[in-house]
Amino acid sequence: MRPTVLCFSGLDPSGGAGLQADIESIGAAGAHAAVACTAITVQDSQQVFGFEPVSSELLRAQGLAVLNDLPVKAIKSGMLGTVENIAMMSELFDDGSIAHGTPFVLDPVLVANSGGSLGDKDTLVKAFARLLPHATLITPNTHELRALAGLDDLHDCAKALNDKGVKAVLVKTSHDFTTGDIEQFLYVDGQIVHTSIIERLDGEFHGSGCSLASHIAGRLALGDDLVSAIKHADEWIMRTLKNADVPHPDKPTAQLIPKRFL
Ligand code: PLP
């Protein structure tokens, strides 16, 4: 059986982000995605209209059902939606339900790329303090990185999070500028251990953050080390974004949907 990545993420009915992005991206990496659904969102490819979270008891039961059955070799989290769901995930690590040493990619989703709310930002940031040290890697966008660290400079933010026990932070400058190449750097123990320059593509991609984080988790489940997993995911995401579906060709600012099975 392929190694399993257990994802904790929300349902996006448009299929661009959330648990469908996880399933497709992890499948494309060569692993199997199992998904514990954290919330049902109401959104289209362009904007979020609302969401209803599942209870932390129901989320825990979903997670345990998978953990007790399938060969879970990595964990990925995306939208968790509530403080209770974040606390419950921390408990799965603390009580050993998730085996010690299992790679964990944490995408600290606070708001959608379109700007729509996916939870109460300030309370989620506080709750993340307990979960972050369990992560092998966190993949925040720049808004999330600054919110988590409470600082402005991206390098200071990454170092501050390393100081607070976050093992590795992948920083991408994509949201800070609208032109020019995107810089990406990986901080481990307060030091940059990997950098890359990524071509900026035209348009906004719905679910690109979810897709990248999931693909990295898929590669970690297959046994890659962190830098190699990130390199594979970068190469793959560029291909999926270059071939993205265009739901509204008439609207110049419309979001695009990555084509993940390529
Ligand atoms: N998870 C869910 C359920 C979402 O709906 C979204 C955004 O709409 C995200 C995560 C984050 O998406 P992105 O990868 O665009 O940051």
Side-chain angles (χ1 to χ4, degrees), residues 26-39:
I26 289 164
H32 169 66
V35 186
C37 181
T38 58

Side-chain angles (χ1 to χ4, degrees), residues 47-96:
Q47 57 180 314
V48 179
F49 302 106
F51 72 90
E52 216 168 278
V54 305
S55 70
S56 57
E57 292 78 18
L58 184 56
L59 185 61
R60 180 177 169 82
Q62 293 179 74
L64 288 178
V66 175
L67 287 162
N68 291 332
D69 182 43
L70 297 176
V72 174
K73 299 293 181 212
I75 306 287
K76 189 255 167 177
S77 68
M79 172 189 183
L80 292 171
T82 62
V83 166
E84 291 76 16
N85 284 348
I86 296 175
M88 190 284 302
M89 270 207 77
S90 308
E91 275 159 31
L92 289 178
F93 284 98
D94 291 338
D95 70 14

Side-chain angles (χ1 to χ4, degrees), residues 10-12 17-18 41 43 48 79 109 112-113 118 205-210:
L11 173 79
D12 163 10
T41 74
Q43 62 184 305
V48 179
M79 172 189 183
V109 174
N113 266 336
L118 293 171
F205 298 90
H206 179 54
S208 51
C210 306

